[in-house]
């Protein structure tokens, strides 16, 4: 199996005959991921919360795409999507929110955890029997500052802090990546789980934080020093299309993984804690009502 080396990797291998689901594909990293995959012959499902925005995005993509409604923060939407999607080669769990004011999902889960982790946890497990290749988890360098409080996932005991809630959800992504791969391997499955993060990339994810200052800093800061979205999508594309082992995590190669070309990168100590990963998995099953289907 190949591993990413420092260098200008931009050539996604041909993906003819392969079907991808990309969540949050109407803008940013998700859009660029879908666009690149379709260009290389894949059939891409744009799984989006806003159908009109999804259709507008689809019109900007050359290749075979379809738009399907999916709100990953709403478990009923996740179940409806999974029941109707059919066979899929690769699921790219990309949709996310960043730094939003405190709020609860339709299922009563804090919005960062519901959107960035729990909905994707449920979606991946529901699709596993129909997946042919892999699950790709899009995380963030923010996972390194994440603290997972299993007895206070809803921020009822702690004072709510939007960016700490985001970091917690990104740590949850990393723990999910490792634990799902462990379970697949133990079950004798050839499916794999890979991950990637975009470093500092100029996208619209900071546009709805609820804080004018942080929105301005995020938008202008990423615009000045961050990568364009097409380049920020490269670690995700590498994780989704190259022959890398399960539990591989890919990010930019320079400036503290903020910029550069795709390489294998490390993760925090908490992100490799197997006991924490198992505990989060158990909590996620309880919150979502979805269990690992290959046990």
């Amino acid at each position: 199996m190949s591993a990413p080396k420092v260098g200008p990797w931009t050539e996604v291998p041909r993906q003819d005959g392969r079907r991808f689901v990309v969540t949050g594909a109407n803008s940013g990293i998700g859009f660029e991921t879908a666009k690149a995959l379709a260009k290389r012959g894949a059939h891409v499902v744009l799984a989006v919360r806003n159908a009109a925005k999804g259709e507008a995005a689809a019109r900007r993509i050359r290749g075979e795409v379809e738009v399907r409604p999916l709100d990953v923060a709403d478990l009923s939407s996740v179940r409806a999507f999974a029941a109707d999607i059919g066979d899929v080669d690769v699921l790219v769990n990309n949709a996310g929110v960043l730094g939003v004011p405190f709020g609860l999902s339709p299922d009563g889960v804090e919005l960062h955890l519901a959107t960035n982790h729990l909905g994707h946890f449920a979606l991946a497990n529901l699709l596993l029997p129909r997946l042919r290749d892999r699950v790709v988890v899009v995380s963030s360098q923010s996972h390194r500052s994440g603290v997972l409080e299993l007895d206070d996932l809803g921020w009822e005991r702690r004072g709510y802090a939007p960016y700490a809630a985001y970091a917690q959800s990104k740590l949850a992504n990393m723990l999910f990546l490792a634990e799902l791969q462990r379970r697949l391997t133990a079950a004798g499955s050839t499916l794999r789980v890979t991950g990637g993060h975009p470093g500092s990339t100029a996208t619209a994810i900071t546009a709805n934080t609820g804080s004018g200052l942080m929105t301005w800093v995020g938008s202008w800061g990423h615009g000045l020093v961050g990568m364009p979205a097409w380049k920020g999508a490269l670690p995700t594309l590498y994780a989704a299309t190259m022959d890398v082992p399960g539990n591989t995590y890919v990010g930019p190669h320079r400036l503290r993984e903020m910029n550069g070309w795709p390489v294998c990168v490390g993760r925090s100590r908490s992100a490799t804690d197997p006991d924490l990963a198992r505990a989060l998995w158990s909590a996620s099953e309880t919150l979502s009502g979805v269990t690992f289907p290959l046990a």
Side-chain angles (χ1 to χ4, degrees), residues 158-237:
R158 297 171 287 172
Y160 180 72
Y163 289 87
Y166 174 75
Q168 175 181 259
S169 71
K170 292 288 105 178
L171 174 57
N173 287 160
M174 300 300 299
L175 293 165
F176 169 65
L177 190 165
E179 179 63 11
L180 178 56
Q181 184 61 67
R182 186 194 70 79
R183 286 170 177 259
L184 288 169
T185 301
S189 172
T190 59
L191 294 175
R192 56 189 140 173
V193 192
T194 60
H197 79 83
S200 177
T201 299
T203 71
I205 195 171
T206 61
N208 298 298
T209 64
S211 165
L213 175 62
M214 295 310 297
T215 296
W216 185 87
V217 169
S219 299
W220 284 95
H222 286 309
L224 288 171
V225 302
M227 297 184 289
W230 71 264
K231 191 173 182 182
L234 292 178
T236 299
L237 286 162

